[in-house]
Amino acid sequence: MHFTRPRELVVAGLVGLVAVYLLFEFAYGQLPSLPTLAGTTLLALAVIETVLAFTVRSRVREGRVVTGLGIARAVALAKASSLLGALMLGAWLAGVAFLAPRASDLTAAADDLPAAIVGAACAAVLIGAALWLEYCCRAPDTADRDE
């Protein structure tokens, strides 16, 4: 397993962007309205991963026992979350790109635009938290172990 590469995040974001923009383009009239706080579930996951990252980081720095399996699970969670965050960031940005120009003409678009903005912000926070968790799971350098 390798750590998350930027191109993986870009590809996931583009997939989400194109898929949701096309969905909005062809079926926006049939979709239900977006709840304003729909993206906050991503924020909750980001908070959990941030707490986990600081816990793992402190345990590694203090030299306390951290099992390899536990670290591997945390890295897998971080990698999956960063890809989910990138996919959802693309999806929410597609919503912003579709809704912003139409917000002055359509009441539904004006009502859905804040949800898309909140969702995009929460997805970006999730990406940051997941990458931070992944970074905290790296093995310390030999110079750090000597100190």
Side-chain angles (χ1 to χ4, degrees):
M1 176 186 274
H2 62 305
F3 289 102
T4 304
R5 296 183 180 119
R7 71 172 176 240
E8 295 168 346
L9 298 178
V10 169
V11 168
L14 288 175
V15 167
L17 183 100
V18 170
V20 171
Y21 192 85
L22 290 174
L23 175 69
F24 274 20
E25 189 69 41
F26 293 112
Y28 182 67
Q30 288 79 35
L31 294 175
S33 65
L34 297 173
T36 304
L37 300 177
T40 57
T41 54
L42 300 174
L43 184 61
L45 184 57
V47 168
I48 292 168
E49 290 192 24
T50 301
V51 170
L52 181 60
F54 280 110
T55 302
V56 167
R57 181 177 166 209
S58 69
R59 292 187 79 174
V60 168
R61 284 187 171 179
E62 293 171 2
R64 293 191 306 180
V65 177
V66 180
T67 64
L69 186 58
I71 295 295
R73 287 179 179 159
V75 170
L77 172 66
K79 188 169 179 66
S81 295
S82 64
L83 290 172
L84 170 69
L87 182 70
M88 292 307 298
L89 179 62
W92 287 115
L93 287 178
V96 170
F98 182 84
L99 296 170
R102 293 165 178 82
S104 61
D105 299 333
L106 296 173
T107 305
D111 292 343
D112 288 344
L113 185 58
I117 293 169
V118 167
C122 292
V125 170
L126 176 60
I127 294 169
L131 292 176
W132 173 247
L133 174 58
E134 191 173 320
Y135 177 80
C136 289
C137 291
R138 293 177 188 256
D141 294 333
T142 55
D144 291 341
R145 279 187 255 158
D146 293 339
E147 294 174 7

